[in-house]
Amino acid sequence: MFHLHKISLIAVVDPEMRVIDYEQKLNAEGLTSGYRPVTGMQTPLSACLAERTANLFFLKYGGIEELCVGGAVVTPQGVAFPIKDYPRAATGCDLRRVVIGSRGLLGQFREGSLKVFPLPEALVWGLALFEGPEAALEGVRRMVGSFIRPLFVRIMEEKEGSGLLRSLNLSEEAKVVLAFKLGGLKGMVEAEREAVMKLNEADNVLFHWPVRPAEVEVLDQTLIVREPCLDFWTKYAPLAGRNPASPATDGEEALKKYLRENPC
Amino acid sequence: MQFEPPKLKKHFLDHLEAIVGPDGYSVKNLDRFNYSRDSNFKSTIRIHHSALEPLPDVIVWPKDTRQLQALVRLAIRTKMPMIPFGGGSGVCGGTIAETGGMIVDMKKMYRLLKVDSANLLATAEAGIMGYTLEKELQRKGYTLGHFPSSILCASLGGYLAARSAGQNSTRYGKIEDMVRELEVVTGQGEIVQTRDVENGDGLDLNQIFTGSEGTLGFITRAVLKIYPLAPCQAFRGLRFKNMKTGIEAVRRIMQTGLKPSVVRLYDEIDTLLFMGYKKNKGITEVVKGLASPLKKLFMSTSLWGALSAPKLVSPVLQHLPTGCLLILMHEGVERLVREEQKIIMEICRDLGAEDLGEEPGRVWHEHRYSVSYKASPLFHSGAFIDTIEVATTWDKMEALYSAMLKAMSSHCLVMAHLSHAYPEGGSFYFTFLASLGGLKKSEALYDLIWDKGITACQETGGVISHHHGVGRLKKKYVDREWGGGAALYRRFKDYYDPHGIMNPGKLIELKREKKEKVA
């Protein structure tokens, strides 16, 4: 099952579809899911919904719980119910966000309605060279606080950062390299590029904007495709005002226990 | 007016006083009367006719979470209904003591506890008023980005309990996007801490308690996302030929990935009213000529005459040649604001919009909180008023607008604006005015208009509330809204409120709802 509502930019999908297949179908229509699960593109959407799998591109597109706008759910007791597609409601708890991440305790999606987006008109990699990790963190904070939402950010300290610079034939020595990828409308990406430089102007941060296809390929492959990203959320969540995954509270454990004993 | 005395025994009051002290509660009739209603318009109709809502037995002002927990435990022992009360700005009757009981006013828990500038988070108690919270944050160089029109009289707890959305939600998100952690005293008498589960597995307790309208517990504290204050603001007004092209423009704007702070599209009648603001220079001669008489009509005693024949008046007003006004507000780094404006202007010009300059946007910004306070004078002109805010996806937007307009306009004057916009859809905010008759007639007409509007909304696939919540007003529609999903909420209710004392009669019909009250 795959159905596209082009006016609302919503795709209705079978959750058993792998993210990579889903993304390819959308790409053929000039669209993207905006979703790169940190568990890899082979992961089925059902697992991402059940586990609330972190999105590598969360800064720009949000997490899976923000991408899901409706669907059809079946509870552990076998009760099936639809959740209509809507952008937002103030009718009690949000059933979509309650079911997502519950590992099936409150239900599983039999059908998912997910937001989709136009493929970015422009994509630009940026490398900012900082004196230390704190300065680099401040650089990301400035970006996010100014609503500049890159697809991806990564801070690389000495060895790793220098290695990346060498692979791009850049001779600078830097203690910390902040790599980020901007995407969107051409005019906005250019404006964001200028704004990022202006935000860091006072600190004399050196920027590189690799544009040659070979450089872009190196960055895409090294940082997005091949990179094991499982610790990504822990590192970058605070920068978006989010807490990295923390253990369940006593209250959450108590509710889980009750729901196991009294399934829906 | 005659008030029934509160049905409270002395030993209950002794326990109460031991928890909150002699100044921490009131059983005075004046207080019970003042806390018998919120800002919902059905209560206003009733009070206009000297008809009372059910009175609470007692009003309590706890100072901290421990006091509140002790109150809940007392209420469990005595089967006393408990109703949370923030600023009283709710418009759905969510704080009415349907079966009497204890109103818990949270306003003594009002502190902004922490501003974490490294992670851009703020921690505050639930009783802090929205305006105070925002003012305190702005003093430190930050903003919550939450600007509901009720900001002057709504509390943080109310934002969370009723799942509020501010006028700038396009950029900053809605309250559920801002909340990171909560502290809640549940109907079990336990204190529950929630955590931020985004991008990790686990039950999202934030999303269970946000919007629960006090039916599961009291939200006492929240950790919220904040943003640095934007260095630049810009405004724009544009006029579209009709709603169809205006809706299409808003859809295109939102789907480019841009995030203007405010996007509001007014239909013909709403445009006319908006253009009537004295300071608004961005208007054409046509609108100038029309706005003033209509405003006078709405504010004068002849309103009753116009409202007595809505079937005749509505079609005339809906076809006025005013066009449809789009208000935009942009915030952020100047370079980004300029680019965003440029792209949006291109989209709007392609759809034939007329640029009205920045004045309409500035006028809207200046008056953005005042609309909520214009309703009361209408009662003296022989009319009542209310608003219905619904939401849907873009493919259903026009159909929903037309269906609700058609369903309601035989019974009242109705206007609407697209108030909140997102990439996948948006919210329509309908305002209706109808003639005020006797109590029974007015209540029947009020219920009929709501029923016509909400039924049309549900039949076209919309959701029955975008940001006002459910309360008493819309609870009869929630089972249809949630379908089998209501079982999930009922399971939470069974767990968190096993004694059935938490804000009874709200959000959804519960078969086992307990009517008795023993204190």
Side-chain angles (χ1 to χ4, degrees), chain B residues 367-379:
Chain B
H367 295 273
R368 66 196 186 282
Y369 306 138
S370 60
V371 66
S372 304
Y373 305 95
K374 291 190 183 298
S376 296
L378 285 166
F379 280 81

Side-chain angles (χ1 to χ4, degrees), chain B residues 288-301:
Chain B
K288 248 183 199 169
L290 287 168
S292 184
L294 191 72
K295 251 189 111 183
K296 278 182 191 159
L297 172 70
F298 277 9
M299 302 308 293
S300 75
T301 49

Side-chain angles (χ1 to χ4, degrees), chain A residues 59 137-147 149 236-243, chain B residues 114-123 137 140-144 172 177-180 196 223-229:
Chain A
L59 278 173
L137 279 174
E138 184 55 30
V140 181
R141 200 175 286 125
R142 282 178 191 147
M143 258 199 272
V144 175
S146 304
F147 279 83
R149 297 291 162 86
Y236 297 106
L239 300 170
R242 306 235 58 123
N243 292 332
Chain B
K114 186 179 169 188
V115 175
D116 175 354
S117 54
N119 296 314
L120 294 175
L121 296 170
T123 306
L137 289 172
K140 295 172 191 291
Y142 300 99
T143 178
L144 181 61
Y172 297 102
D177 304 317
M178 298 167 183
V179 63
R180 298 294 185 258
D196 184 1
V223 179
L224 305 156
K225 173 89 184 89
I226 55 172
Y227 297 89
L229 279 172

Side-chain angles (χ1 to χ4, degrees), chain B residues 28-73:
Chain B
K28 288 178 191 164
N29 282 341
L30 183 60
D31 288 327
R32 293 173 61 221
F33 172 71
N34 282 334
Y35 280 88
S36 67
R37 64 194 193 283
D38 54 19
S39 303
N40 83 90
F41 287 99
K42 190 149 187 191
S43 290
T44 313
I45 291 172
R46 290 180 61 77
I47 209 71
H48 188 78
H49 290 91
S50 303
L52 291 175
E53 293 288 2
L55 261 59
D57 294 297
V58 58
I59 297 95
V60 187
W61 291 273
K63 286 181 179 166
D64 57 42
T65 304
R66 288 292 166 193
Q67 280 192 0
L68 186 50
Q69 183 182 32
L71 287 171
V72 174
R73 288 178 174 173

